[in-house]
Amino acid sequence: MQRFHVRQVAVLGAGVMGAQIAAHLVNLKVPVLLFDLPTAKASDKTGSSAIALRAIENLKKLKPAPLGWAEDAALIRPANYDEHLDELKACDLVIEAIAERMDWKLELYRKIAPALAPHALVASNTSGLSITALAQALPEALRPRFCGIHFFNPPRYMQLVELIATGHTDPQVMDQLETFVTTTLGKSVVRAKDTPNFIANRVGTAGMLATMVQADQFGLSYDVVDDLTGKKLGRAASGTFRTADVVGLDTLAHVIGTLRENFSLADDPFAALYQTPPVLQKLIEGQRLGQKSGAGFYKKVGREVLRLDPQSLDYVSGGTKADDVVGRMLKKPAPERLKLLRNAQGAQARFLWAILRDQFHYAAVHLHDIAETARDVDLAMRWGFGVKQGPFELWQEAGWRQVARWIQDDIDAGLALCKAPLPAWVFKGPVDEAGGVHTAEGSWSPALGRFVPRRALPVHARQHFPEDVMSTPAQLAARAGTTVHEDDAIRLWSLDGQVLIASIKTKMHAISPDVAEGLNQAVELAEKSYEGLVIWSPDDVFSAGADLQAMIPAFMLAGVSAIESAEHELQRVMLRLRYAQVPVVAAVRGLALGGGCELAVHCARRVAALESYIGLVEVGVGLVPGAGGLAYIARRAAENAQASTSKDLLPFLTEGFTAAAMAKVGTSALESRKLGYLLDSDLIVAHRDELLYVALGEARAMAAAGWRPPQRRAFAAAGRHAQATIMGQLVNMRDGGFISAHDFHIGKCIAGVVCGGDVDAGTLVTEEYLMALERRAFCKLVAHPKSQERIMAMMSTGKPLRN
């Protein structure tokens, strides 16, 4: 495949989606022009691109944050169609993201077509308009380079991107765009057929409508439905009605309208379902549009979340949960779970069976028209709607033949939402013989009449353990490669015999004494027989920190001495990693908190997924970092000061001290770099499933370049005067009510360590010396009653206590 270079992207339309797509592009260092309509020349600096400029400024205020680092908003260049069309010639990719109006889009295409570069790809970010119809507005020569690209909202966080070809789209264009979207933007791609609302919104919206219909029929309140259709069902925690509020009720109504306008009973047996529910229509008419307007199916008043009463349209007390018996049913294995729900007498259980049956029925009837294979439907629902299993996966796990008979029996009895029978392929032929649509050979394609393997592009080879149907990366990784050592705490293994991989196995990958011992063993093995060591976990937790549950029993039995000994050993392991004779690479994905952060910063290099959340958070449990985190802050400050012309260490120390004392967590790899937990030399990877590939490559490259560990050397401490300055600031915060007395005490401990204790400014100290100070402060706090209260609160509730 010919390499496709994207040097610059133009995003047309500075609305909610367009601006956030532009933000995600600059997160990943892709230069962006953000176009919108021109405005009259203003006297201020906004000029005629004021609409785009306001959208860029607004990106800094949005939550969740579309930018990994808010200041990067300045990298997006505002533009307008009157003055800047010529700049499209320098764009390799143009993404149109204006409002969902076919006439507006067609008019814009006619306007931009003459200005496009002859090689540029053009894609429409539409949630459901016909890509083939849109292509008709483009010159014939441009149509092979045009397709649909559907980002899910918010673009930075949602994994799914649907790509939609027309009959004219060059297949190589689709491959090039999938490669760019995967590796550069970090998204997972599903190719959808050009049908209204494509795959995820088609199946997902039908499922939401069916849930609303069935909730009304079974007389269930919105809060109970959301409790039933959230995490208990393996779906997003927001359930159904809260999800509608988050999406926007007007947006939901628009998606429903697209289905209603495009389908009748003649071409879709579920067409009667595509009606805006009366209560939804009334909410929209009253401008109660969900979260963005402050009221929808729910309304927050103070700290209380009220739910809508559909009869009175008033808000009443909410928070009602599902019956415990139903919750117990949902914990059973899939075959038993669905049987219990179908045969239950209670309304809640029968409601759940009804919505699952309706989703299975809908997906089977429409599979031929909306997707190439059942895999595409299941992955689209996983990545676009946050479900743990797509409809076909759950159906197959529960027993394909039995569930199919139950569904058809309900259809025959008039209990289903439509009378259309299940397709013939469900009951006979290869699917029936295989016991489902997913096999080792591939996934079922009704259009082709066979099982089709997953598309194989060169970019996919970068994903050692990609998420796939009926499996997760963790399941695949647990059996992969050659195991060198494994126990309950850690697995040491290799894929290629060149680089050793260490995967922590404890809950949340907490660092226990056994894990520390395993990491020490990993260094020994890597130095003896491998070119490098990579620390990697196949899920969204690198390490959530030290194992508090292992610490408390030791403290109760042997007191502070047991804690001191364990901390000393952990610090030795961190230094062992730092000074290993082979390069040690931390492959960070998701949470790297407390001890997990300390583990990462002591490695020779970090390769981090964009969505990595890194920080020293020990203050939340009444402690200070105890595995070298404060020593790291002091050393980095000294190194940064030495590289500058300043003689004063304090300015270089302040940010690190503040981050630790306030338990700041980088909310992206970009922000973590600003906090100092990632360095400029560290790599940021967009796609989480490519993390291991890049980390292994980095370890091999460092070894090939003749890796040598850093030399142990003393460095300057900030000293007692810097500590006094920090203490003055802490006093002001305490006296002003911004921190508690115990927060002040912990901050004092942190300041004492990072400044080097009671020494003169510039005194040369070692990591071991600072770690001894750190260890002493940690152990004193473990014995402090207020810290013990925080530890116990975190262990029992999972939430920090401020005391």
Side-chain angles (χ1 to χ4, degrees):
M1 181 176 67
Q2 184 177 353
R3 189 172 177 83
F4 174 58
H5 293 283
V6 178
R7 298 170 183 84
Q8 182 171 248
V9 175
V11 177
L12 312 182
V16 173
M17 283 300 292
Q20 292 199 55
I21 291 170
H24 189 60
L25 287 161
V26 297
N27 283 338
L28 297 159
K29 298 184 178 180
V30 180
V32 183
L33 283 168
L34 181 61
F35 279 81
D36 211 296
L37 296 170
T39 56
K41 287 278 187 182
S43 58
D44 59 22
K45 296 179 181 179
T46 59
S48 53
S49 297
I51 295 175
L53 189 58
R54 282 196 297 270
I56 293 168
E57 285 300 308
N58 191 53
L59 289 169
K60 301 175 185 178
K61 307 171 187 175
L62 295 179
K63 298 294 180 184
L67 291 159
W69 183 245
E71 282 71 9
D72 282 351
L75 300 177
I76 305 173
R77 294 173 53 204
N80 68 78
Y81 303 119
D82 280 0
E83 297 178 321
H84 304 109
L85 277 185
D86 284 348
E87 296 199 38
L88 289 177
K89 288 185 171 62
C91 296
D92 304 294
L93 173 62
V94 176
I95 299 174
E96 172 270 305
I98 68 170
E100 292 284 277
R101 283 274 300 267
M102 179 70 76
D103 54 340
W104 291 357
K105 290 179 185 283
L106 296 178
E107 180 183 352
L108 178 60
Y109 290 0
R110 285 188 283 269
K111 187 171 188 174
I112 67 168
L116 296 171
H119 68 282
L121 305 189
V122 182
S124 174
N125 181 67
T126 175
S127 61
L129 296 180
S130 169
I131 305 303
T132 301
L134 289 170
Q136 300 308 309
L138 295 170
E140 190 171 340
L142 183 54
R143 292 174 192 171
R145 292 181 279 116
F146 176 75
C147 66
I149 183 169
H150 181 208
F151 288 86
F152 274 63
N153 191 26
R156 171 184 161 185
Y157 300 96
M158 295 302 292
Q159 192 175 352
L160 177 64
V161 167
E162 292 175 316
L163 295 183
I164 309 97
T166 73
H168 300 286
T169 307
D170 184 343
Q172 182 171 299
V173 164
M174 296 295 287
D175 292 347
Q176 290 172 332
L177 192 55
E178 179 168 347
T179 298
F180 172 74
V181 168
T182 301
T183 287
T184 303
L185 302 189
K187 300 303 174 187
S188 295
V189 171
V190 166
R191 296 196 190 182
K193 294 186 178 181
D194 188 13
T195 56
N197 290 345
F198 312 127
I199 298 175
N201 273 348
R202 180 76 177 273
V203 176
T205 301
M208 290 184 75
L209 284 170
T211 299
M212 292 178 180
V213 168
Q214 299 290 7
D216 185 58
Q217 289 186 3
F218 284 96
L220 302 179
S221 62
Y222 301 140
D223 47 1
V224 169
V225 169
D226 281 347
D227 190 44
L228 287 168
T229 60
K231 288 186 176 180
K232 285 184 172 68
L233 204 61
R235 298 181 178 180
S238 52
T240 301
F241 293 99
R242 279 191 180 84
T243 296
D245 274 358
V246 171
V247 169
L249 303 189
D250 53 342
T251 302
L252 176 60
H254 172 79
V255 176
I256 295 169
T258 301
L259 292 172
R260 183 171 61 250
E261 292 162 10
N262 283 277
F263 294 109
S264 65
L265 285 172
D267 46 28
D268 186 339
F270 285 83
L273 180 64
Y274 307 147
Q275 302 299 318
T276 304
V279 66
L280 177 58
Q281 187 61 46
K282 289 176 182 177
L283 287 171
I284 293 171
E285 290 169 359
Q287 291 299 301
R288 290 190 272 182
L289 305 179
Q291 187 170 285
K292 60 186 173 185
S293 68
F297 288 107
Y298 295 93
K299 181 179 179 180
K300 191 172 183 181
V301 179
R303 293 189 175 184
E304 186 178 7
V305 177
L306 306 178
R307 67 166 175 84
L308 184 75
D309 179 282
Q311 277 70 46
S312 67
L313 294 184
D314 291 330
Y315 292 93
V316 299
S317 294
T320 306
K321 301 295 183 182
D323 294 341
D324 289 342
V325 65
V326 179
R328 290 194 293 272
M329 289 181 188
L330 293 176
K331 293 178 180 179
K332 301 289 185 181
E336 186 179 354
R337 185 193 325 152
L338 265 61
K339 182 178 181 180
L340 287 169
L341 294 175
R342 187 173 190 271
N343 295 332
Q345 298 300 311
Q348 294 181 16
R350 289 188 293 124
F351 158 78
L352 285 175
W353 162 252
I355 65 171
L356 291 172
R357 174 203 63 214
D358 294 339
Q359 188 179 52
F360 298 156
H361 187 193
Y362 189 91
V365 167
H366 291 93
L367 176 57
H368 181 281
D369 299 322
I370 66 175
E372 182 178 300
T373 72
R375 177 193 300 105
D376 298 323
V377 173
D378 282 343
L379 291 180
M381 293 305 295
R382 275 203 203 184
W383 296 334
F385 279 79
V387 303
K388 288 185 178 179
Q389 289 180 300
F392 291 115
E393 290 181 282
L394 177 56
W395 180 351
Q396 183 165 331
E397 184 185 347
W400 184 266
R401 296 181 185 90
Q402 178 61 74
V403 174
R405 286 196 293 271
W406 286 339
I407 297 169
Q408 190 60 53
D409 288 346
D410 281 8
I411 296 169
D412 295 340
L415 299 175
L417 289 177
C418 87
K419 298 178 181 178
L422 289 172
W425 55 262
V426 170
F427 293 103
K428 59 184 180 181
V431 171
D432 178 66
E433 293 166 8
V437 291
H438 301 306
T439 68
E441 183 182 348
S443 294
W444 180 250
S445 170
L448 299 176
R450 59 183 175 85
F451 295 105
V452 177
R454 193 171 189 180
R455 182 178 292 102
L457 296 177
V459 68
H460 297 152
R462 295 169 57 89
Q463 301 178 12
H464 285 300
F465 306 107
E467 185 174 349
D468 203 352
V469 290
M470 309 295 285
S471 66
T472 65
Q475 291 170 330
L476 296 170
R479 302 186 298 270
T482 301
T483 299
V484 180
H485 166 81
E486 185 170 13
D487 55 34
D488 291 340
I490 200 166
R491 181 185 181 220
L492 307 180
W493 56 290
S494 181
L495 282 172
D496 57 7
Q498 294 178 286
V499 179
L500 187 66
I501 303 169
S503 295
I504 301 172
K505 295 171 56 179
T506 53
K507 184 179 180 181
M508 298 293 285
H509 307 312
I511 302 174
S512 65
D514 288 342
V515 169
E517 183 180 339
L519 290 171
N520 194 59
Q521 184 176 357
V523 175
E524 291 179 3
L525 287 169
E527 289 179 337
K528 181 179 179 181
S529 306
Y530 296 87
E531 294 179 3
L533 170 64
V534 169
I535 304 173
W536 172 81
S537 296
D539 54 31
D540 287 326
V541 180
F542 175 72
S543 172
D547 189 346
L548 292 176
Q549 290 186 335
M551 178 194 302
I552 295 302
F555 174 72
M556 297 300 291
L557 288 172
V560 170
S561 61
I563 301 297
E564 199 277 340
S565 176
E567 285 301 301
H568 198 184
E569 182 57 36
L570 185 55
Q571 290 174 343
R572 280 197 289 260
V573 170
M574 296 300 175
L575 292 178
R576 185 86 168 84
L577 291 165
R578 172 164 162 74
Y579 294 106
Q581 295 302 306
V582 293
V584 181
V585 178
V588 180
R589 166 180 164 184
L591 300 179
L593 304 177
C597 175
E598 292 170 302
L599 174 58
V601 299
H602 281 91
C603 292
R605 190 68 49 85
R606 284 140 297 280
V607 176
L610 177 65
E611 296 306 326
S612 296
Y613 307 94
I614 308 174
L616 298 171
V617 296
E618 285 84 354
V619 170
V621 289
L623 301 173
V624 298
L630 298 183
Y632 167 80
I633 289 172
R635 176 174 58 79
R636 287 294 302 158
E639 290 170 350
N640 289 336
Q642 190 175 22
S644 76
T645 57
S646 175
K647 301 293 184 182
D648 187 3
L649 254 174
L650 184 58
F652 299 94
L653 191 63
T654 300
E655 187 171 52
F657 164 79
T658 303
M662 302 300 291
K664 283 188 177 181
V665 174
T667 56
S668 69
L670 300 174
E671 189 174 358
S672 296
R673 179 175 276 166
K674 300 293 183 182
L675 292 175
Y677 299 132
L678 296 178
L679 308 181
D680 289 340
S681 56
D682 294 332
L683 303 179
I684 295 177
V685 177
H687 200 295
R688 64 190 189 188
D689 289 342
E690 294 186 358
L691 188 66
L692 180 59
Y693 173 89
V694 176
L696 291 172
E698 186 71 2
R700 286 192 290 264
M702 292 168 72
W707 164 258
R708 295 292 300 170
Q711 291 183 316
R712 294 175 182 262
R713 64 178 67 199
F715 49 88
R720 66 176 69 88
H721 292 300
Q723 183 177 348
T725 301
I726 292 174
M727 288 303 300
Q729 296 170 347
L730 287 173
V731 168
N732 290 336
M733 294 180 70
R734 181 196 61 193
D735 294 348
F738 296 104
I739 60 175
S740 69
H742 194 51
D743 290 328
F744 173 82
H745 179 61
I746 298 169
K748 180 181 178 180
C749 293
I750 293 173
V753 177
V754 298
C755 292
D758 188 17
V759 298
D760 294 333
T763 299
L764 294 181
V765 298
T766 65
E767 288 169 295
E768 289 84 354
Y769 167 79
L770 289 171
M771 284 183 171
L773 295 180
E774 181 181 280
R775 194 164 64 246
R776 193 178 309 145
F778 184 92
C779 291
K780 285 183 178 179
L781 285 169
V782 168
H784 196 292
K786 291 287 187 180
S787 290
Q788 291 174 7
E789 288 176 7
R790 292 192 184 189
I791 293 170
M792 297 309 297
M794 179 62 73
M795 291 175 62
S796 59
T797 69
K799 296 179 181 179
L801 170 70
R802 188 184 180 197
N803 56 358

